[in-house]
């Protein structure tokens, strides 16, 4: 972390002055999207996109974002105060004038607060998360809850020696379900983030037999060395749980037509099943099962797990306000009838208004590298928080109540949420699983909003 504010500022400006030509390209894309929507009879691009999502209308999205922003502001007030005090103290010690909080301060001081309050030592944590036992432990979670069985394929036909392959079966051996590949380590030319790639959708042949689904996780976790196995941070563990959620969603879909596979699930629901399974990565009883020191085999100490859990929601107000900002920017440029909306000015103004950190003076605009706007999330970024609210509701209402390893609840979830794929509106499956319309109350409570009001 850069203690020098001048260094932090230079780094942010270097980041945000990259690819300046992208602003013009995004500006052009916004105008073209609006033109296409108008030709199809819609007022705005967002109106066109949202019609087939859970949200249905731009007004629903804007109401969701506005309500969430108001609630998060209350939580963020105290977080801002803590960060201000730290920066003021730094300025005083350096005999410099405090002039406010800027975008380049956000991550530095947020991490500093977390370190000082919770004393989480990430290097110590990593010693308990060796990739092989973690992977097996995560597969066991899905195996127990969803009544599945994973059989590792020996000498599999794969595209790289690092890749592992599994057969997925019903736990009672009654049916084969599909194949999954785990491609977890970086290499030259590989996609640089974590994702799930469906390779083949499941479907039904004319004679009633099945075409089985196939999918792969691509990730870039640290590789093993000559002296240590591949060791994961706790964030990496959460990422693996998340991506495995996408993977098993794909495998568990049981529809007649391949069209209704993972890619056809409503865009503002697609993250929900994977976000749900992140919750198991914060359960002490679950971590105790597979987190063991790579040298001694000692199970992860309870006090270390307690530190991780205590730090989970540190800075949740400001972090989620940033997510609200991205969603509101997306809507501002896509839910407008103005083909000449100023992308750069809109980004800068909304970021300062919503995130509570000043942009300062100088060139650059983060919109130039906001890849989601050209990567399929146009008029859809709100979906991250939208889906998060539903995943929290499902976890609190069914799994926390019934038991986090309750297989009957898991099978209800598999039947109502996973199996339909994109063949039904996700709200139908949610109401069947919950026994009522979904609510954001559990999400707000999970990040401490309910207790702050």
């Amino acid at each position: 972390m850069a203690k020098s504010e001048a260094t932090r500022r230079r780094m942010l400006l270097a980041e945000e002055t990259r690819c300046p030509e992208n602003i013009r390209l995004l500006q052009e894309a916004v105008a073209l999207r609006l033109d296409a929507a108008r030709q199809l009879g819609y007022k705005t691009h967002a109106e066109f996109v949202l019609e087939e999502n859970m949200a249905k209308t731009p007004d629903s999205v804007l109401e969701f974002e506005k309500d969430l922003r108001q609630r998060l502001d209350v939580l963020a007030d105290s977080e801002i105060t803590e960060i201000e005090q730290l920066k003021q103290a730094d300025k005083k010690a350096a005999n410099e004038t405090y002039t406010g909080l800027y975008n380049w301060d956000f991550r530095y001081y947020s991490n500093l607060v977390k370190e000082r309050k919770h004393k989480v030592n990430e290097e110590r944590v990593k010693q308990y998360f060796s990739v092989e036992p973690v992977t097996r432990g995560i597969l066991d979670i899905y195996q127990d809850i969803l009544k599945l069985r994973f059989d590792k394929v020996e000498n599999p036909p794969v595209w790289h020696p690092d890749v592992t392959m599994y057969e997925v079966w019903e736990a009672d051996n009654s049916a084969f379900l599909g194949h999954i590949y785990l491609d977890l380590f970086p290499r030259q030319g590989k996609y640089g983030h974590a994702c799930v790639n469906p390779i083949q959708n499941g479907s039904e042949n004319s004679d009633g037999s099945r075409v089985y689904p196939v999918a792969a996780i691509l990730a870039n976790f640290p590789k093993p060395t000559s002296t240590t196995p591949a060791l994961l941070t706790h964030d990496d563990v959460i990422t693996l749980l998340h991506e495995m959620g996408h993977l098993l969603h794909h495998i568990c879909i049981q529809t007649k037509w391949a069209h209704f596979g993972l890619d056809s699930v409503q865009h503002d629901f697609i993250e929900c099943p994977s976000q749900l399974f992140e919750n198991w990565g914060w359960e002490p009883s679950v971590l105790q099962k597979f987190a063991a020191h790579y040298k001694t085999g000692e199970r992860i100490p309870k006090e270390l797990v307690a530190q991780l859990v205590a730090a989970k929601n540190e800075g949740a107000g400001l972090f989620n306000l940033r997510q609200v900002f991205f969603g509101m920017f997306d809507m501002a440029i896509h839910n407008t009838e103005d083909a000449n909306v100023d992308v750069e000015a809109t980004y800068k103004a909304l970021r300062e208004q919503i995130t509570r950190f000043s942009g300062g003076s100088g060139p650059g605009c983060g919109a130039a590298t906001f890849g989601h706007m050209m990567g399929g999330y146009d008029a859809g970024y709100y979906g991250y928080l939208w889906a998060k609210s539903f995943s929290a509701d499902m976890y609190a209402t069914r799994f926390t109540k019934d038991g986090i390893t309750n297989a009957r609840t898991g099978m209800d979830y598999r039947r109502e949420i996973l199996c339909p794929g994109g063949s039904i509106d996700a709200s139908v499956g949610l109401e069947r699983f919950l026994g009522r319309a979904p609510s954001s109350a559990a999400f707000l409570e999970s990040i401490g909003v309910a207790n702050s009001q």
Side-chain angles (χ1 to χ4, degrees), residues 405-425:
T405 57
N406 188 309
R408 180 176 296 178
T409 304
M411 290 304 290
D412 287 348
Y413 171 76
R414 184 174 158 186
R415 181 181 65 253
E416 304 295 355
I417 303 298
L418 303 183
C419 286
S423 66
I424 64 172
D425 193 293

Side-chain angles (χ1 to χ4, degrees), residues 3 149 286 302 306 346 420:
K3 188 173 182 179
R149 192 183 86 236
V286 172
K302 292 182 179 179
T346 301

Side-chain angles (χ1 to χ4, degrees), residues 25-53:
L25 294 173
L26 179 56
Q27 195 81 52
E28 182 181 355
V30 166
L32 289 170
R33 289 165 180 164
L34 177 58
D35 181 54
R38 283 173 172 166
Q39 291 189 49
L40 292 169
Y42 298 91
K43 292 180 180 178
T44 69
H45 178 65
E47 191 177 276
F48 162 66
V49 169
L50 295 173
E51 185 176 55
E52 296 195 1
N53 281 1

Side-chain angles (χ1 to χ4, degrees), residues 50-56 261-271 421-422 424-428:
L50 295 173
E51 185 176 55
E52 296 195 1
N53 281 1
M54 287 183 71
K56 305 303 182 207
L262 190 66
D263 288 337
S264 72
V265 174
Q266 286 161 304
H267 211 84
D268 50 4
F269 185 74
I270 189 69
E271 296 295 330
I424 64 172
D425 193 293
S427 60
V428 174

Side-chain angles (χ1 to χ4, degrees), residues 312-347:
K312 176 186 178 184
N313 287 326
E314 188 62 53
L318 289 170
F319 173 80
N320 285 294
L321 277 176
R322 287 175 65 81
Q323 293 298 95
V324 169
F325 152 63
F326 288 127
M328 293 292 281
F329 166 70
D330 177 21
M331 292 302 291
I333 63 173
H334 288 123
N335 187 45
T336 177
E337 296 181 59
D338 179 7
N340 298 310
V341 59
D342 191 327
V343 167
E344 185 171 358
T346 301
Y347 186 95

Side-chain angles (χ1 to χ4, degrees), residues 349-360:
L350 285 176
R351 179 162 68 172
E352 190 157 329
Q353 292 167 21
I354 298 172
T355 68
R356 317 272 288 271
F357 286 75
S358 172

